Amino acid sequence: MSDTIFGKIIRREIPATIVYEDEDILGFKDIAPQAPVHVLFIPKHEAIPTLDDARPEHAQLLGRLMLAAAEYARREGLARDGYRVVMNCREHAGQTVFHVHLHLLAGAPLGRFGS
Ligand code: 5GP
């Protein structure tokens, strides 16, 4: 399993505010939030380092990450006003933790992205 900080969160070796969990996915608050709501969704049993390492056999798991974020947003009443999901891949995107994860950002109008 993952040797990253997220692996430690999955194994409950370090604390995190867990807000979503199902059989395959864990969702927890980002330690340095970039929006009023900033939650990270990660696979629990597969430590794919980056999106570039994903293969066709990971398609269902990656889809489940998206659906977990959408379910959380609906449950928390974030879906009506809207939200953003982001996955950073490697250096130019600023990826810092090499265990694939989806950011959910919400709770206020978000600036445009890409710069
Ligand atoms: P990346 O830049 O790799 O897409 O996103 C990694 C995210 O993980 C960052 O937003 C960062 O704030 C968050 N993060 C890093 N270390 C920890 C930690 O120990 N706990 C939590 N909850 N989030 C973390």
Side-chain angles (χ1 to χ4, degrees), residues 26-52:
L26 193 68
F28 54 91
K29 291 188 179 178
D30 196 291
I31 204 167
Q34 303 297 308
V37 176
H38 188 171
V39 174
L40 302 171
F41 293 87
I42 64 173
K44 293 200 297 192
H45 308 298
E46 281 242 34
I48 308 161
T50 80
L51 184 58
D52 185 56

Side-chain angles (χ1 to χ4, degrees), residues 5-6 9 14-17 28-34 38 40 86-89 93-99 101 103:
I5 199 91
F6 291 174
I9 288 173
I14 62 165
T17 305
F28 54 91
K29 291 188 179 178
D30 196 291
I31 204 167
Q34 303 297 308
H38 188 171
L40 302 171
V86 175
M87 188 176 284
N88 295 319
C89 181
Q95 185 178 3
T96 56
V97 181
F98 291 86
H99 178 130
H101 52 281
H103 296 255

